[in-house]
Amino acid sequence: MKKITKKILVIEDEDFVRENIIELLDAEGLNVLGAENGRIGIDLAKTQLPDLILCDVMMPIIDGYGVLSALRQDSIMAGIPFIFLTAKAAKADVRQGMELGADDYLTKPFTRAELLGAVASRFKKQAAVHKQYHTELRQAKDQLNYLIRNDNLTGLPNRLSLQERFKQVQPADTEHQQILTVLCLGLDRFNQINENLGHAFGDLLLKAVAQRLSSCVDAQDTVARLNADEFAIILATNPHKQDAVNVVQSILKSLSQTFVLANREIFITASIGMAFYRRDGKELEQLLSNANKAMLKAKQQGGDQYQFYTATFHLGSSDRLTLQTSLRHALEREELLIHYQPQVDLQKGQIIGAEALVRWQHPERGIIPPDKFIPLAEETGLIVPIGDWVLQKACKQIKIWQTKGFPSLRVAVNLSGRQFCQMDLRQKLVQILMDTDLHPQYIDLEMTESMLVQNTEVAIRRLNALKSLGVQIAIDDFGTGYSSLSYLQQFPFDILKIDRCFISNITNNSNNTAITKAIIQMAKSLGLKLIAEGVEKAAELDFVYHHQCDAIQGYLFSPPVSTQEFEKLLTTKKSLPLPPGYND
Ligand code: C2E
Ligand code: CA
Ligand code: CA
């Protein structure tokens, strides 16, 4: 490598001194330029860009200070090391020079050793500065490398590094045994968390989720964040499909454990789609896209579950469109009907009321459950006329049964978010009460927490306005949202319905047992009536019975049934055999 000769500019009006310095430095193999006054010095500095300037202080026309301040104001020349040559060693002069930005000074007369020492130490410093600069540059590059490969918020790899990772772990064509699984994971209802609890909280949650995900997989696996609430995972170490399923189940379980963030307890669930290398695609993009379709399917089925990709998923969207069009006509064509599910009290085991659950009797597809069309009706706004219809129809039916000999039978009607937001909901309810002559005390309006937490103050005001009519308010699907138990205390509920996800298999799931006990305790302390939903097994009944819930609803007693069948349950006085020892 060619050695670069350093270039030094000497600005000195005394010819003898200047020539002497030039000679000395020249002998050291340096490239030296001379200037006999400040003006020439500045010009030479500009054109030659020396590595070092030695400059006399006392000079005619422009003195040393003038030269230095001119140089320091120039963006290119400001960085050139500058040494003053001064006959005066007065402290004030030295200070003035240093304040102007000189790097060093030499007092005349100086020896050869002093001169060479000052020059050498300047160059050494410059080398150190260069080294520092290169270190910083390398750090900046590393940082940039990290930034373009990792997600800002969670620090997880992003799509780019996932791609790189995929190339590394992609099995060779000969390795047919090795199974590579690509997962797409989405948090259920994450938008609501962001909207209701704020983005800062959403971010906290995403970070915590990222940590949990990372702790669920092997070191050779990769967890990446794709966008807002979507993560991708490459499972690289599973010889069998069942191993991958086990990991997925452990992920779902881990995410369903309470998060405690910013003094708030939050429960979340996730949906996972699984795609397998080779079977569902050979390229990462295709595997991700298929895993994503499977994830959407898991979400459609209610979330908190996993789905494998199957090639028929693409039917979904056109299916949706047809449904949407025919739903518009469903009301006019009287294709909607209501099934009633008994609510049974746990004191006497008798039917005390019914939850009205809408169904769609589709001319070609048969009965379509509400989960398949209510979300669509919500999106399109059709839920408002549908909801009005259900309310009207159910109240009318209950009044009929009351007059047939069941005078205290209650009805529970589900309200959707959009319905709850209608300005004239209270007025509509008054109209229905007048039309059907049903006493408001027999009506429970069921709503979910997600409808209420968006604007707490407004929600409380609305609830109170409805309650002032005499109806009761039930909080539905309790525990599946994201609010802490104590947060919901501020709403004026009368009834709390424990969601069936806590009730199902309650005796085998210690987590569910603990949550349900806590919910019951809180509801009791608030004086709420408790209804356990989804009671299917005797052991579940036993649990809610002994923990003193007030009523149950579930397949154990009866699924939702048609009007005729419900009437049969009433007239035959079907009752629930209760376990012994309620009052133990
Ligand atoms: P939901 O309000 O939580 O209703 C209870 C759901 O749990 C019903 O499903 C019922 O059939 C089901 N269920 C009851 N007992 C059991 C059990 O022991 N085991 C199991 N596995 N399931 C049980 P359905 O009728 O399919 O209704 C689903 C959801 O659709 C309802 O959930 C409610 O959110 C919504 N929905 C139904 N009717 C209406 C309506 O008129 N308006 C609105 N806005 N939503 C409605
Ligand atoms: Ca309900
Ligand atoms: Ca429910």
Side-chain angles (χ1 to χ4, degrees):
M1 200 166 69
K2 187 171 170 262
K3 191 166 181 283
I4 300 162
T5 318
K6 299 273 187 198
K7 199 187 279 179
I8 300 182
L9 171 62
V10 182
I11 310 172
E12 167 66 73
D13 61 323
E14 281 177 65
D15 295 342
F16 168 73
V17 180
R18 187 177 67 249
E19 292 306 328
N20 198 6
I21 296 174
I22 290 176
E23 206 170 298
L24 270 171
L25 295 176
D26 211 36
E28 294 299 316
L30 295 155
N31 178 5
V32 196
L33 310 162
E36 59 267 34
N37 63 46
R39 183 161 295 147
I40 296 175
I42 294 171
D43 287 345
L44 271 178
K46 227 179 250 177
T47 53
Q48 299 292 320
L49 287 179
D51 300 293
L52 173 68
I53 296 174
L54 302 176
C55 181
D56 188 20
V57 175
M58 302 278 280
M59 290 186 294
I61 316 175
I62 304 175
D63 68 3
Y65 303 134
V67 173
L68 180 58
S69 42
L71 294 183
R72 289 298 185 245
Q73 277 160 30
D74 182 290
S75 62
I76 296 172
M77 293 181 294
I80 303 174
F82 195 97
I83 299 177
F84 270 130
L85 310 172
T86 167
K88 311 192 281 177
K91 269 196 184 143
D93 296 314
V94 172
R95 197 182 313 120
Q96 188 183 353
M98 295 315 240
E99 273 168 8
L100 276 169
D103 297 280
D104 203 352
Y105 67 96
L106 273 172
T107 314
K108 289 191 271 190
F110 41 78
T111 63
R112 174 178 175 270
E114 281 170 334
L115 173 67
L116 294 180
V119 169
S121 95
R122 233 0 73 204
F123 284 149
K124 236 187 256 163
K125 280 231 173 81
Q126 212 179 4
V129 168
H130 267 128
K131 200 169 160 208
Q132 167 85 8
Y133 168 74
H134 283 290
T135 314
E136 279 169 15
L137 193 67
R138 203 189 50 243
Q139 282 168 348
K141 271 190 190 155
D142 289 348
Q143 168 108 10
L144 189 67
N145 210 4
Y146 177 85
L147 286 177
I148 60 167
R149 281 182 172 70
N150 293 273
D151 164 47
N152 236 342
L153 177 69
T154 60
L156 288 178
N158 61 13
R159 206 179 267 269
L160 176 66
S161 49
L162 192 69
Q163 185 69 50
E164 292 170 350
R165 188 77 193 128
F166 179 73
K167 291 237 161 71
Q168 287 166 9
V169 294
Q170 189 174 18
D173 274 344
T174 47
E175 274 181 274
H176 274 281
Q177 303 312 316
Q178 178 69 7
I179 282 209
L180 198 79
T181 316
V182 173
L183 310 179
C184 184
L185 182 148
L187 302 182
D188 300 327
R189 298 184 296 270
F190 181 73
N191 276 349
Q192 292 177 5
I193 296 178
N194 252 347
E195 275 170 28
N196 300 327
L197 303 178
H199 287 261
F201 189 85
D203 285 354
L204 271 184
L205 181 61
L206 287 171
K207 281 194 216 172
V209 165
Q211 275 171 6
R212 279 207 194 163
L213 290 180
S214 303
S215 68
C216 287
V217 301
D218 243 52
Q220 290 101 310
D221 300 335
T222 312
V223 180
R225 181 165 176 231
L226 297 184
N227 49 47
D229 60 337
E230 271 179 33
F231 298 83
I233 300 172
I234 296 178
L235 297 178
T237 48
N238 300 281
H240 306 290
K241 197 166 148 186
Q242 186 55 41
D243 299 322
V245 169
N246 291 345
V247 177
V248 165
Q249 282 172 334
S250 74
I251 291 174
L252 287 174
K253 187 165 175 215
S254 161
L255 290 183
S256 70
Q257 315 278 315
T258 324
F259 285 84
V260 181
L261 301 165
N263 289 328
R264 194 183 261 280
E265 275 184 324
I266 175 154
F267 300 98
I268 59 159
T269 55
S271 300
I272 300 180
M274 301 175 73
F276 297 100
Y277 178 68
R278 278 206 191 91
R279 195 195 81 169
D280 301 328
K282 278 191 157 192
E283 298 301 328
L284 179 65
E285 278 313 312
Q286 196 186 1
L287 287 162
L288 278 177
S289 144
N290 287 339
N292 188 269
K293 285 180 192 141
M295 179 201 75
L296 291 177
K297 168 104 175 174
K299 282 202 179 206
Q300 276 165 17
Q301 314 247 314
D304 195 16
Q305 58 182 283
Y306 65 89
Q307 289 283 335
F308 299 119
Y309 168 72
T310 59
T312 48
F313 278 173
H314 62 270
L315 289 176
S317 55
S318 61
D319 209 43
R320 223 172 105 88
L321 211 66
T322 343
L323 270 192
Q324 194 169 324
T325 324
S326 43
L327 182 58
R328 294 191 179 277
H329 304 295
L331 252 183
E332 309 151 21
R333 296 180 188 161
E334 297 185 12
E335 290 171 4
L336 297 184
L337 52 102
I338 299 179
H339 278 182
Y340 295 90
Q341 186 174 33
Q343 296 182 335
V344 183
D345 108 282
L346 288 180
Q347 293 281 345
K348 296 189 178 140
Q350 284 167 357
I351 297 177
I352 47 165
E355 178 173 1
L357 293 156
V358 70
R359 268 98 186 92
W360 179 7
Q361 177 73 58
H362 193 280
E364 287 134 37
R365 296 168 187 240
I367 288 198
I368 302 179
D371 289 341
K372 288 270 181 311
F373 68 90
I374 293 280
L376 206 64
E378 270 278 339
E379 271 173 44
T380 51
L382 277 170
I383 190 67
V384 171
I386 292 177
D388 290 350
W389 177 84
V390 172
L391 197 57
Q392 171 85 31
K393 181 98 178 164
C395 288
K396 203 164 150 195
Q397 185 56 55
I398 293 298
K399 181 68 192 181
I400 293 174
W401 284 325
Q402 285 189 345
T403 50
K404 279 191 179 175
F406 307 95
S408 53
L409 194 72
R410 319 181 51 78
V411 65
V413 180
N414 292 285
L415 276 196
S416 80
R418 281 224 192 187
Q419 270 180 292
F420 183 63
C421 291
Q422 285 175 97
M423 297 312 282
D424 57 349
L425 177 64
R426 186 175 189 273
Q427 212 175 316
K428 278 183 183 167
L429 201 60
V430 171
Q431 189 62 47
I432 289 172
L433 291 169
M434 291 197 311
D435 291 350
T436 58
D437 196 27
L438 180 67
H439 197 286
Q441 79 179 64
Y442 297 112
I443 299 177
D444 302 335
L445 297 178
E446 295 196 357
M447 32 199 113
T448 56
E449 56 192 280
S450 59
M451 297 158 53
L452 306 170
V453 295
Q454 301 190 11
N455 190 337
T456 317
E457 262 173 55
V458 173
I460 292 174
R461 229 181 298 132
R462 291 231 163 116
L463 287 179
N464 282 327
L466 293 173
K467 278 185 65 148
S468 69
L469 294 175
V471 299
Q472 304 221 330
I473 308 290
I475 172 102
D476 201 0
D477 302 345
F478 189 82
T480 58
Y482 36 80
S483 308
S484 70
L485 301 180
S486 50
Y487 179 68
L488 288 162
Q489 289 182 12
Q490 50 187 322
F491 297 101
F493 304 127
D494 304 286
I495 300 162
L496 185 150
K497 298 185 81 175
I498 307 175
D499 192 72
R500 72 164 180 270
C501 71
F502 298 116
I503 302 297
S504 96
N505 277 323
I506 190 147
T507 43
N508 303 329
N509 184 328
S510 58
N511 198 32
N512 279 1
T513 315
I515 293 173
T516 309
K517 278 186 187 166
I519 293 175
I520 293 176
Q521 203 175 6
M522 184 207 68
K524 292 264 170 213
S525 72
L526 292 173
L528 302 180
K529 185 177 148 190
L530 266 164
I531 303 180
E533 283 193 299
V535 175
E536 293 182 353
K537 296 179 187 154
E540 292 157 11
L541 171 66
D542 218 46
F543 182 93
V544 296
Y545 179 74
H546 284 107
H547 286 86
Q548 306 188 349
C549 281
D550 299 288
I552 63 137
Q553 201 183 321
Y555 291 177
L556 180 70
F557 184 81
S558 167
V561 292
S562 67
T563 316
Q564 296 77 6
E565 283 174 83
F566 191 85
E567 197 162 317
K568 225 181 274 168
L569 296 175
L570 286 175
T571 49
T572 58
K573 298 206 179 331
K574 176 171 173 170
S575 67
L576 182 69
L578 293 173
Y582 179 83
N583 293 314
D584 285 1

